[in-house]
Amino acid sequence: MNVEFINPFLSSLINVLATMAQTELTPGKPKVKKDEVAQGDVSGVIGMVGPQTKGSFSITFEENLALTIMERMLGERPDSINEDVTDMVGEITNMVTGGAKNLLGEKGYEFDMATPIVVSGAGHTITHKCDGPKLIMPFTSADGNANIEVSFDKLAQ
């Protein structure tokens, strides 16, 4: 998978959470993901389609990190993942993908974004609607972990 296509999602996530939720994430080592089980408690998933390729992006948060982000963004901390938290995860998914779309547009890659879908619960799954490999990138923070997954079909030449 092309690093030029992945890095905009990493930088966009770090930027969105630092700006919107005063949350610093430390990236770990990316690897190819072999299954569909999410590595956390709540995930936002969004599809992307463009002339060169199609793919999808997801971000998964552990519950404590999601609740902490909610508290920092909106000033209230729910007791558990609820509709407000899933709405927030959908918005973060939109913001990160939008930021990556802008960065990729500067490199000549264009795509349209679908509406994000949010899934929660222990052991939930994430299905990427394309044939390319799934790359998972772990992030750590003082408040819990997050993972992003990116998957694209091969780029058209």
Side-chain angles (χ1 to χ4, degrees):
M1 186 172 294
N2 189 341
V3 171
E4 186 177 81
F5 231 68
I6 306 303
N7 285 340
F9 290 93
L10 309 184
S11 3
S12 184
L13 172 65
I14 289 168
N15 180 47
V16 164
L17 288 184
T19 306
M20 303 296 294
Q22 301 75 50
T23 299
E24 188 175 320
L25 293 180
T26 304
K29 187 174 181 193
K31 62 184 179 204
V32 174
K33 187 175 180 210
K34 302 290 187 193
D35 63 12
E36 294 187 341
V37 178
Q39 306 290 310
D41 301 304
V42 58
S43 301
V45 185
I46 193 166
M48 299 164 282
V49 178
Q52 298 106 331
T53 188
K54 70 174 184 177
S56 56
F57 164 79
S58 72
I59 178 161
T60 303
F61 297 100
E62 289 180 343
E63 182 175 25
N64 188 62
L65 180 55
L67 298 178
T68 300
I69 291 168
M70 176 86 173
E71 183 176 23
R72 290 177 181 160
M73 286 178 74
L74 301 174
E76 56 187 60
R77 184 184 181 94
D79 295 330
S80 61
I81 294 169
N82 61 19
E83 190 176 338
D84 291 335
V85 175
T86 59
D87 286 350
M88 176 202 68
V89 169
E91 274 308 308
I92 289 171
T93 305
N94 247 346
M95 288 188 279
V96 171
T97 307
K101 178 181 179 175
N102 290 340
L103 293 169
L104 286 166
E106 293 170 7
K107 297 178 183 194
Y109 298 112
E110 299 295 330
F111 59 83
D112 292 321
M113 298 165 24
T115 301
I117 296 166
V118 179
V119 188
S120 63
H124 70 272
T125 58
I126 299 169
T127 304
H128 293 277
K129 305 286 188 199
C130 55
D131 299 326
K134 294 180 290 222
L135 188 74
I136 185 169
M137 177 82 167
F139 290 85
T140 56
S141 79
D143 302 297
N145 299 326
N147 288 278
I148 64 172
E149 296 178 24
V150 183
S151 182
F152 284 97
D153 286 344
K154 298 226 182 290
L155 289 173
Q157 299 304 327

